[in-house]
Amino acid sequence: MVDKSVNNFTNEVDDDTMSSVYNAWHEMLESESSSMAERLYDLERQVLEQQEEILSLKSTLAEVLRRLNILDCNSSRVSSSTSSSSSYETTIKNNRIRSSQITTTAPATTLDDWRLRRSGSNTNSTTNSPSRFQANTKVTNLNRRSLHHQSNGSLHSADSQSSTSPAASPLPRPATVHSTAAPLQLSNNNINNMNNINNNNNHQSSTTNLMSQSGSSMGSPTGLAKRWNSTGDFVVTSPTNSSSSALLQNSRYTTKSLLNLQTKNSPNSLLKHGSSTAQYEEDNQSVRMYLRGRPVVLYVPEKRADSVNYDITKVQPAPSKKLKLDWVYGYRGKDCRSNLYQLPTGEIVYFVAATVVLCNIDEQSQRHYLGHTDDIKSLAIHPNKLLIATGQCAGQDRRTASPHIRIWNSVSLATMAIIGVGDFQSSVTCVSFSQADNGTLLVAIDDSSEKTISVWEWQKGETGKKITETKCSVDTVVGAEFHPLDRNQIITIGKNHIAFWTLDQNGALYKKMGIFDSREKPKYVTCLTFTAFGDVVTGDSNGNIILWGRGTNAIGKFVKKVHEGSVFSLCALRNGKLISGGGKDGRLVLLGEDLTPAGVENYVEPHFGAVRVVTQGKGMQLLVGTTKNCILAGDLDMGFTPVVMGHTDELWGLAIHPNMPQFITGGRDRLLQMWDTLSHSVVWSKDIGEQIQCVEFLPDGELVLVGTLTGKWLVFDPMSRELLSQYTDGQEPIQIIKASPNGTLVAVGSRDNTIYIYQRTGVPHKFNRIGKCNGHSSFILFLDWSLDGEVLRSNSGDYEILFWNPNLCRQITNSSSLRDTEWASNSCAISFETIGIWPEGADGTDINVVNRNFDKSLMATGDDFGKVKLFTYPASKPKSLSYTYGGHSSHVTNLSFLHDDTRLISTGGADTAVLQWAII
């Protein structure tokens, strides 16, 4: 009996011991697993930190190479410098907004110089002289009425100085060969000019001829051996030595197709001549041109030297000077996300219109990538911090502005690949590189009706290889990101959803929707980021911040109502903390690693707009993009100051200060803004409460006249910004205001077909209306005063040109008597001096603005296709050659030369961008 009890006790002891041992072993395994996971996360973090350090070193080295190349280039070329009077320097020193901003733009290297220097090749330097065209054919003297095909030569920018960006790589599609034009010989500084051919019409030039020319040395110049009674294409080539030719032939991105997507800003391409007929009347010495079938008679001046022995068949040469994109004002934050980043080189990268801007805030310099042809909608940085992907939307002409992605080098600005031409339907609104495999994959969202998601191996060939494509969501998608630690995981967010995608080995995408359980499902998931441990953090339209555990689609932590209204941006800091940016409340809140507010916050002032994107800059500096197209820099302790400002709605008004390097812009956003071209900053900004259509400085610079859409025009003091007086002329928009050269009279052109004439009184800001000029059958578009202020000419929307006596407010019907009148300006698009600006098939609405510089040597135009063209003044020959520049993504609404003719300012309509061009 005793033995049995002992045995039972022994068995119980053994069971307890075994149970204790098992529990201890189990606890040990759990502890070891937890410790192993923590060590694994720690190792992953260390690896990422080391990778970032290596990338930073690589980027710094690349920047050093770029700067060395700039110094090398500067030793062989002379750059134009801008000087200002000592009085202005004193004024700007006392009144500028940021004293550190007055500096000139740093020069930028060109792609081919960079390539040649890296390869050790030597290229013969070429001059920067203008193109000269000499016809070999003998022009017959016209003794009777001669018929000539009106044309417009468009000579694209012949060197890299049109911008710091190389020309866009051609799209991979076939070209049609049917050109018989003889080649022209031009001097160029950039070998890359031979590689890009611009096609504005259905005709395409000879691919075979151009490729053979770009691969061989061009010796002697070739003249124009061609009859001018037919449309022709001029192929622009450049002489090169054998080493550079070999480099171009071996380059991966030499021109293989002349159907270049880059028609808006393709430099140095081909010259197209129009087919509209223009007639020279020998009897009364006039030119009859047609716009939409309506004849316009323009009289040839008799006493001007440039019109003596006028010959309609001769070619007006391209101007001796060119444009270089000097500075871009504006930023697109109103409807785009994740488009502001700090590069290791110290530059911030963002976009506006069709231009990507790389801006160094400290050095006050900009570089520009101009490869796109329409609005850029998305931007992503490669893990190596050197490559950048940007996606654009579709333009009106899908042949020249197809939605696609361009991948390019941020140091050399060389285009590496063009992805998705013909695959995307609407616009590429989201783009992201894979992070865990060094950026071999690229994900993109097409904002078409299907909202498709596609994954690309972008390094496979020049156009990449699409791995897969599938429908992403029935609702709007606002973000897509690769997981930084899991190679095959993609997260998308948007209206009513967050989705976790898995890319399998066969290239198929599988989706798991985020589960909100009993928590309120937001209308929008608005932003996302990742913690150092790989967890996903999202913000939504309810102001909540949610953590989703790594590898799951379930909520791990829910922080409610961090912001009032939507959380527009989340930024993961290098120290593991997060910054959240609110839309409605404008607050920037610091969150700890557990997502709880750390008690440190700041806010963005309402007039800058709501927070759209937050990114970390140098050290603890934060960069904030806003919905009113501003970029702010600062931190939570010291607050934020603007470094980039812009307009938010369609931009039409532009006026140049008559004696200072400043200008004023006004738009439909009701903002009137004064800009300084040397400090590249906003001197002041004022909301006038009215949508602005036009702006004008009086000749003495003491007053600014502003025309609005409601028929009012207002008078402001440009120094105090005070509204001094206002006047009303009808209820239609005021299209244009033009002051006479002496400032005593003001002509106000309205959309009600009437020109109102005002006289300045003894009180400087008071005006009295002396009459109305009635006679146009359509709205007033352009006005010009004669040099003596005794004659006014006007253009209307139905392509009519009329002349007026402004003192009597009567029309001068004998327009031939005014053929030798000297005009104080040349803003009328229909005049004898502007015959050559009209492109082939022009319907009269293509040209939005034309302006002449002050020394009467250059003329610039802005058109509906986002192009700025530079002509020799006067462009009185139908065959007038020009240089064409891009950067805008919508119609160019206004442009004007500065008072000293050193720069040109152009404004975009819907793109809200202001571009500053240096004249070189």
Side-chain angles (χ1 to χ4, degrees):
M1 190 70 179
V2 174
D3 294 338
K4 187 175 181 180
S5 298
V6 171
N7 291 334
N8 291 335
F9 175 76
T10 302
N11 292 334
E12 290 177 1
V13 171
D14 292 339
D15 291 341
D16 292 341
T17 302
M18 292 297 295
S19 178
S20 299
V21 171
Y22 176 78
N23 291 334
W25 175 73
H26 186 68
E27 291 177 359
M28 183 181 65
L29 287 180
E30 289 183 348
S31 176
E32 185 67 23
S33 298
S34 176
S35 177
M36 180 67 72
E38 291 179 359
R39 290 198 298 270
L40 180 61
Y41 286 141
D42 187 59
L43 287 174
E44 288 180 342
R45 178 186 292 182
Q46 291 181 15
V47 169
L48 291 176
E49 290 177 352
Q50 291 175 358
Q51 287 180 348
E52 289 180 356
E53 292 177 0
I54 294 173
L55 293 177
S56 179
L57 290 174
K58 289 182 177 179
S59 300
T60 304
L61 178 59
E63 178 69 6
V64 170
L65 292 175
R66 185 179 71 82
R67 290 171 181 263
L68 288 174
N69 189 50
I70 289 174
L71 295 175
D72 195 8
C73 291
N74 284 340
S75 64
S76 61
R77 66 177 65 172
V78 178
S79 60
S80 61
S81 60
T82 304
S83 61
S84 59
S85 63
S86 59
S87 61
Y88 171 72
E89 291 178 352
T90 304
T91 303
I92 195 63
K93 287 180 181 178
N94 296 329
N95 296 286
R96 66 197 178 200
I97 293 179
R98 297 182 302 278
S99 61
S100 63
Q101 289 181 328
I102 299 185
T103 179
T104 56
T105 303
T109 183
T110 60
L111 168 61
D112 286 309
D113 290 339
W114 184 76
R115 285 179 175 171
L116 291 174
R117 296 187 189 281
R118 287 198 60 182
S119 62
S121 302
N122 295 322
T123 307
N124 293 335
S125 60
T126 56
T127 63
N128 195 28
S129 60
S131 310
R132 301 297 180 194
F133 304 93
Q134 298 179 350
N136 291 335
T137 55
K138 196 171 184 179
V139 180
T140 306
N141 185 25
L142 299 179
N143 295 321
R144 61 183 185 280
R145 176 184 301 180
S146 61
L147 179 66
H148 168 66
H149 290 279
Q150 181 189 354
S151 61
N152 174 268
S154 178
L155 172 60
H156 286 260
S157 168
D159 58 25
S160 63
Q161 294 174 345
S162 62
S163 71
T164 58
S165 169
S169 300
L171 287 182
R173 55 179 178 176
T176 305
V177 179
H178 61 275
S179 174
T180 59
L184 296 178
Q185 185 67 39
L186 296 178
S187 297
N188 299 304
N189 288 335
N190 193 346
I191 302 173
N192 195 45
N193 294 331
M194 297 184 297
N195 294 339
N196 294 279
I197 300 301
N198 180 48
N199 294 277
N200 297 328
N201 304 289
N202 296 332
H203 305 294
Q204 305 299 334
S205 61
S206 172
T207 306
T208 306
N209 291 341
L210 183 67
M211 291 305 297
S212 63
Q213 292 164 1
S214 64
S216 60
S217 175
M218 306 301 295
S220 59
T222 305
L224 291 178
K226 179 178 178 177
R227 290 191 301 270
W228 288 105
N229 59 355
S230 62
T231 301
D233 300 339
F234 294 89
V235 181
V236 180
T237 61
S238 175
T240 61
N241 58 19
S242 58
S243 61
S244 61
S245 300
L247 177 63
L248 288 173
Q249 288 178 336
N250 297 329
S251 174
R252 178 183 176 188
Y253 296 105
T254 51
T255 300
K256 294 186 173 75
S257 169
L258 301 189
L259 282 174
N260 195 343
L261 183 71
Q262 176 61 16
T263 57
K264 286 192 175 182
N265 53 344
S266 169
N268 188 26
S269 296
L270 53 87
L271 303 172
K272 300 289 289 185
H273 287 283
S275 58
S276 300
T277 57
Q279 300 174 3
Y280 177 69
E281 301 282 352
E282 181 70 22
D283 298 337
N284 57 5
Q285 295 184 346
S286 66
V287 176
R288 181 185 296 268
M289 60 178 291
Y290 295 87
L291 291 173
R292 271 196 180 175
R294 177 167 183 164
V296 180
V297 178
L298 305 169
Y299 292 93
V300 180
E302 294 178 346
K303 299 179 180 179
R304 283 215 318 246
D306 55 16
S307 300
V308 176
N309 298 323
Y310 176 78
D311 190 343
I312 196 173
T313 63
K314 287 188 176 181
V315 178
Q316 179 75 35
S320 59
K321 295 186 177 181
K322 300 169 187 175
L323 300 180
K324 172 188 174 183
L325 186 56
D326 180 38
W327 199 266
V328 175
Y329 303 94
Y331 159 74
R332 184 160 185 166
K334 61 179 180 179
D335 59 354
C336 292
R337 306 164 187 264
S338 301
N339 62 348
L340 176 63
Y341 295 94
Q342 174 93 44
L343 298 178
T345 57
E347 294 173 310
I348 62 173
V349 57
Y350 57 93
F351 58 75
V352 62
T355 305
V356 186
V357 181
L358 297 99
C359 178
N360 191 309
I361 300 175
D362 297 332
E363 298 180 1
Q364 270 296 289
S365 63
Q366 281 189 358
R367 297 186 298 134
H368 311 102
Y369 178 75
L370 297 172
H372 287 278
T373 57
D374 215 283
D375 285 301
I376 303 171
K377 300 299 289 290
S378 55
L379 185 150
I381 307 297
H382 193 275
N384 65 14
K385 307 298 183 183
L386 293 177
L387 300 182
I388 296 176
T390 44
Q392 75 166 58
C393 66
Q396 294 182 351
D397 188 349
R398 295 295 292 270
R399 296 169 301 175
T400 59
S402 175
H404 66 282
I405 300 169
R406 304 182 80 90
I407 300 173
W408 47 280
N409 189 299
S410 63
V411 174
S412 66
L413 302 181
T415 302
M416 310 301 295
I418 302 175
I419 307 297
V421 176
D423 290 283
F424 299 118
Q425 300 300 317
S426 178
S427 62
V428 183
T429 55
C430 305
V431 63
S432 175
F433 286 102
S434 58
Q435 303 293 318
D437 61 353
N438 295 322
T440 59
L441 300 179
L442 184 76
V443 63
I445 301 293
D446 183 6
D447 192 30
S448 61
S449 58
E450 297 294 325
K451 302 294 188 298
T452 57
I453 178 174
S454 56
V455 180
W456 300 77
E457 289 182 334
W458 66 271
Q459 292 174 318
K460 293 292 184 69
E462 297 177 8
T463 59
K465 176 185 178 183
K466 183 165 62 177
I467 298 176
T468 185
E469 180 182 44
T470 186
K471 185 176 180 179
C472 182
S473 172
V474 296
D475 296 313
T476 303
V477 181
V478 299
E481 296 283 347
F482 269 100
H483 196 283
L485 302 179
D486 299 331
R487 178 183 183 274
N488 296 324
Q489 188 174 22
I490 302 169
I491 296 91
T492 61
I493 58 173
K495 186 176 182 181
N496 295 318
H497 80 278
I498 175 174
F500 299 85
W501 300 79
T502 300
L503 179 67
D504 68 9
Q505 296 180 349
N506 297 322
L509 280 171
Y510 299 95
K511 178 173 65 173
K512 292 190 299 182
M513 301 300 295
I515 301 174
F516 289 88
D517 294 328
S518 60
R519 295 179 176 88
E520 180 184 2
K521 187 176 183 180
K523 184 175 181 180
Y524 274 92
V525 179
T526 52
C527 55
L528 81 153
T529 189
F530 302 91
T531 68
F533 300 107
D535 298 324
V536 180
V537 183
T538 61
D540 60 39
S541 55
N542 295 332
N544 305 324
I545 295 178
I546 302 174
L547 183 142
W548 308 79
R550 179 178 176 181
T552 71
N553 62 336
I555 294 177
K557 187 166 186 177
F558 189 92
V559 184
K560 191 174 183 180
K561 297 296 182 182
V562 177
H563 291 275
E564 180 183 353
S566 299
V567 183
F568 273 173
S569 181
L570 287 169
C571 174
L573 303 179
R574 301 183 189 98
N575 59 10
K577 297 181 180 180
L578 280 80
I579 295 286
S580 65
K584 185 177 180 180
D585 59 15
R587 291 164 55 235
L588 293 165
V589 179
L590 179 65
L591 305 174
E593 295 186 15
D594 58 353
L595 300 187
T596 57
V600 180
E601 64 179 63
N602 211 313
Y603 73 98
V604 173
E605 297 180 17
H607 62 269
F608 291 127
V611 177
R612 174 64 76 187
V613 58
V614 181
T615 188
Q616 189 169 12
K618 295 180 179 179
M620 293 304 295
Q621 183 191 53
L622 296 177
L623 300 170
V624 181
T626 73
T627 55
K628 288 190 176 180
N629 295 344
C630 299
I631 298 177
L632 314 177
D635 55 47
L636 297 182
D637 295 327
M638 302 299 294
F640 298 89
T641 57
V643 295
V644 175
M645 294 183 66
H647 286 273
T648 60
D649 206 344
E650 196 164 352
L651 187 58
W652 282 89
L654 173 66
I656 302 298
H657 197 286
N659 49 49
M660 297 175 69
Q662 295 179 342
F663 62 93
I664 282 184
T665 57
R668 303 292 169 81
D669 56 3
R670 302 176 175 84
L671 284 181
L672 189 67
Q673 298 193 125
M674 171 82 85
W675 308 78
D676 184 83
T677 61
L678 298 184
S679 65
H680 307 126
S681 63
V682 175
V683 180
W684 54 258
S685 179
K686 181 180 179 65
D687 188 335
I688 70 169
E690 296 276 353
Q691 291 185 314
I692 301 170
Q693 177 66 28
C694 59
V695 186
E696 171 76 348
F697 265 108
L698 287 191
D700 56 10
E702 297 297 325
L703 297 177
V704 175
L705 313 181
V706 181
T708 71
L709 294 185
T710 59
K712 296 179 183 178
W713 62 279
L714 316 174
V715 182
F716 287 91
D717 184 332
M719 297 298 293
S720 66
R721 291 166 277 173
E722 179 185 358
L723 175 62
L724 302 177
S725 58
Q726 65 178 27
Y727 306 89
T728 302
D729 291 309
Q731 298 179 345
E732 294 293 323
I734 303 298
Q735 292 289 123
I736 185 170
I737 300 178
K738 202 79 170 180
S740 63
N742 59 11
T744 59
L745 296 178
V746 172
V748 180
S750 173
R751 203 167 180 84
D752 64 4
N753 308 349
T754 303
I755 302 172
Y756 300 89
I757 306 297
Y758 282 79
Q759 187 175 35
R760 197 173 182 182
T761 65
V763 180
H765 61 273
K766 294 291 185 180
F767 297 83
N768 289 332
R769 193 168 81 180
I770 62 176
K772 299 188 296 184
C773 297
N774 292 314
H776 278 293
S777 57
S778 185
F779 53 90
I780 311 302
L781 277 179
F782 309 111
L783 294 172
D784 281 316
W785 287 92
S786 62
L787 197 59
D788 58 9
E790 297 296 323
V791 181
L792 181 70
R793 70 178 176 185
S794 57
N795 288 168
S796 60
D798 57 353
Y799 328 118
E800 187 175 39
I801 178 170
L802 298 181
F803 299 87
W804 311 88
N805 183 327
N807 296 299
L808 301 177
C809 297
R810 292 182 180 177
Q811 181 182 348
I812 302 174
T813 56
N814 185 17
S815 56
S816 63
S817 63
L818 302 173
R819 66 171 74 228
D820 290 313
T821 301
E822 293 290 333
W823 299 99
S825 62
N826 203 132
S827 61
C828 284
I830 303 174
S831 66
F832 172 76
E833 294 81 7
T834 61
I835 292 175
I837 71 173
W838 293 97
E840 181 179 358
D843 63 357
T845 64
D846 300 323
I847 305 296
N848 298 317
V849 60
V850 58
N851 220 314
R852 180 193 72 192
N853 71 342
F854 289 90
D855 71 0
K856 301 181 182 180
S857 62
L858 299 173
M859 175 179 284
T861 67
D863 58 33
D864 274 349
F865 313 107
K867 297 183 181 68
V868 173
K869 293 183 178 180
L870 190 66
F871 294 83
T872 299
Y873 179 84
S876 55
K877 306 293 196 315
K879 301 186 185 73
S880 294
L881 307 180
S882 68
Y883 295 106
T884 301
Y885 304 87
H888 290 289
S889 59
S890 67
H891 48 295
V892 179
T893 55
N894 215 328
L895 54 78
S896 187
F897 294 88
L898 288 191
H899 73 286
D900 56 1
D901 286 340
T902 58
R903 290 176 176 84
L904 173 74
I905 308 297
S906 63
T907 62
D911 64 32
T912 70
V914 180
L915 304 188
Q916 178 175 305
W917 308 85
I919 301 174
I920 57 177

